Amino acid sequence: MGHPDKLADRISDSILDACLTQDPGSHVACETLVTTGLALIAGEIATRASVDYEAIVRQAIREVGYLDESWGMNAETCEVRNKLHEQSPDIAQGVNLTASIGAGDQGLMFGYACTQTPELMPLPIALAHKITNRLTEARVTGEIPWLRPDSKSQVTIEYDGNIPVRIDTVVVSTQHNDDVPQEEIKQTVLEKIVRPLLPENLVHGAYKTWINPTGKFVIGGPHGDCGLTGRKIIVDTYGGWAHHGGGAFSGKDATKVDRSAAYMARYIAKNIVAAGLADECEVQLAYAIGVDRPVSVMLNTSGTAKIAEEKLVDLVKSHFDMTPKGIIETLDLCRPIFVKTSSGGHFGRNDPDFTWEQTNLAETLRRKAGL
């Protein structure tokens, strides 16, 4: 959560949640830039909520842990610039419909699921998220007192076809205090963070580990690199295993199909795989701005489907409401739940607020498919 781009995501989603808390019908498109001693928020908001935006920004930075002037970002003293303004009426006219809600933009949205993990996610990104989440836990609880907020991870898996067979390489870069020897950092991260999270059946002999491969990592966060909302869209989704339409998630309310349709596509794909109708499934939805129904619905199961993909598409169209209004109602997306998505990934998480992770339609789909 302390990576500069993810800090920006957190600020944007914190503002979204603050608006939704008072006005569930808020339309929010908030972008954030963070750099040394500065947080800049900009974008378009239409809401009846009364929000102290500066206080929300400072609280988000505080929660992440940037409270030291010497780190280049202090929640209490940093400059906060507010350049938010009203939503464009040209966009609003296509979204604020009486009978339905038009898509907030045109574009492609993808969702994916597979049988590689219990949460039906690709294994490399699932492990990378577990490592970074564990780093956050060890820092926040004080278990490893020299950790600082900025970190990231990458995991390389060897496959036989689509079957993971061996851990090949684990990369972890984590910010730390200046007075910690590099050898202690490497040993502690390896023993307390990495090794306990690797599946035993995939650890065959030696595997490569790169812990802070450039060496010292004291200067980090917004002080080490400028952060922007929406710059980690592959980390947010499937780690590059599946396609991405290009639209970012954070800071956007659910009328923006960049976000909500990607959640629905994941929901569809996960229920198809959970139903046993395919071992993997990628769903592509396409929208036109102001139009409530998708202009295209496509599925790709990479040859793993148990029934014809055309029949799968028919099942999807008859059991999932893919209009923006239908998505919002099905997944209950007018709640202030989004700050939790800003780090650790939007998918593959066991959280009751992440309604797009439910598999409540799997049995229905299986029955309707005749399996």
Side-chain angles (χ1 to χ4, degrees), residues 146-205:
W146 43 258
L147 286 173
R148 291 186 182 179
D150 194 356
S151 66
K152 52 186 178 179
S153 178
Q154 179 176 286
V155 181
T156 303
I157 308 292
E158 181 182 337
Y159 283 78
D160 182 1
N162 283 328
I163 307 298
V165 295
R166 187 179 68 87
I167 303 290
D168 182 85
T169 307
V170 178
V171 182
V172 180
S173 295
T174 184
Q175 190 184 13
H176 57 85
N177 289 346
D178 198 12
D179 57 353
V180 188
Q182 291 299 307
E183 193 54 42
E184 179 182 346
I185 293 170
K186 292 179 180 180
Q187 195 66 23
T188 302
V189 170
L190 185 60
E191 294 296 333
K192 291 191 174 183
I193 306 296
V194 173
R195 282 180 180 165
L197 294 175
L198 301 183
E200 292 184 5
N201 63 313
L202 298 181
V203 178
H204 303 308

Side-chain angles (χ1 to χ4, degrees), residues 25-354:
S26 297
H27 289 174
V28 178
C30 177
E31 311 291 345
T32 302
L33 176 149
V34 290
T35 188
T36 305
L38 171 66
L40 168 66
I41 54 175
E44 303 79 44
I45 294 182
T47 183
R48 293 172 295 177
S50 177
V51 177
D52 185 339
Y53 292 115
E54 180 176 338
I56 295 297
V57 171
R58 294 192 187 279
Q59 180 60 22
I61 298 170
R62 190 179 298 118
E63 289 169 351
V64 170
Y66 286 114
L67 295 165
D68 192 319
E69 205 74 40
S70 67
W71 294 4
M73 176 60 81
N74 185 337
E76 313 304 332
T77 61
C78 68
E79 180 183 3
V80 177
R81 295 186 188 177
N82 180 358
K83 295 295 182 181
L84 294 166
H85 57 86
E86 284 287 317
Q87 184 185 42
S88 162
D90 291 346
I91 294 176
Q93 69 180 347
V95 176
N96 300 330
L97 303 179
T98 54
S100 62
I101 300 173
D105 204 351
Q106 69 181 51
L108 303 176
M109 294 82 207
F110 291 89
Y112 180 81
C114 64
T115 56
Q116 292 182 31
T117 67
E119 58 269 31
L120 305 185
M121 285 286 286
L123 182 60
I125 190 68
L127 288 177
H129 281 314
K130 287 179 180 178
I131 289 170
T132 52
N133 290 339
R134 176 72 179 100
L135 280 168
T136 296
E137 178 188 45
R139 174 177 61 87
V140 171
T141 62
E143 178 185 349
I144 304 178
W146 43 258
L147 286 173
R148 291 186 182 179
D150 194 356
S151 66
K152 52 186 178 179
S153 178
Q154 179 176 286
V155 181
T156 303
I157 308 292
E158 181 182 337
Y159 283 78
D160 182 1
N162 283 328
I163 307 298
V165 295
R166 187 179 68 87
I167 303 290
D168 182 85
T169 307
V170 178
V171 182
V172 180
S173 295
T174 184
Q175 190 184 13
H176 57 85
N177 289 346
D178 198 12
D179 57 353
V180 188
Q182 291 299 307
E183 193 54 42
E184 179 182 346
I185 293 170
K186 292 179 180 180
Q187 195 66 23
T188 302
V189 170
L190 185 60
E191 294 296 333
K192 291 191 174 183
I193 306 296
V194 173
R195 282 180 180 165
L197 294 175
L198 301 183
E200 292 184 5
N201 63 313
L202 298 181
V203 178
H204 303 308
Y207 56 92
K208 297 182 284 294
T209 56
W210 294 97
I211 313 297
N212 286 9
T214 62
K216 186 177 179 181
F217 185 10
V218 173
I219 300 173
H223 188 38
D225 198 5
C226 182
L228 296 169
T229 301
R231 200 158 57 178
K232 289 293 177 283
I233 56 176
I234 298 302
V235 170
D236 285 341
T237 54
Y238 309 102
W241 191 278
H243 290 95
H244 196 294
F249 299 158
S250 289
K252 298 176 181 177
D253 73 271
T255 65
K256 280 72 173 176
V257 285
D258 284 346
R259 180 172 218 160
S260 57
Y263 289 177
M264 176 56 86
R266 162 67 175 171
Y267 179 57
I268 295 169
K270 189 171 183 181
N271 275 272
I272 287 173
V273 173
L277 301 183
D279 293 332
E280 65 175 299
C281 180
E282 182 180 80
V283 176
Q284 175 194 286
L285 306 178
Y287 291 84
I289 188 168
V291 179
D292 63 346
R293 296 188 180 278
V295 297
S296 172
V297 179
M298 292 180 61
L299 270 72
N300 180 10
T301 64
S302 300
T304 68
K306 306 303 187 290
I307 62 174
E309 288 187 355
E310 293 82 2
K311 292 185 178 180
L312 277 179
V313 172
D314 290 339
L315 279 176
V316 168
K317 289 180 176 179
S318 60
H319 288 83
F320 297 90
D321 187 341
M322 293 168 283
T323 66
K325 182 178 180 180
I327 294 171
I328 290 169
E329 292 178 349
T330 299
L331 302 180
D332 196 9
L333 296 180
C334 287
R335 297 167 297 139
I337 60 169
F338 296 106
V339 71
K340 291 190 289 187
T341 69
S342 61
S343 61
H346 292 243
F347 307 122
R349 294 169 62 176
N350 184 23
D351 187 310
D353 284 334
F354 289 32

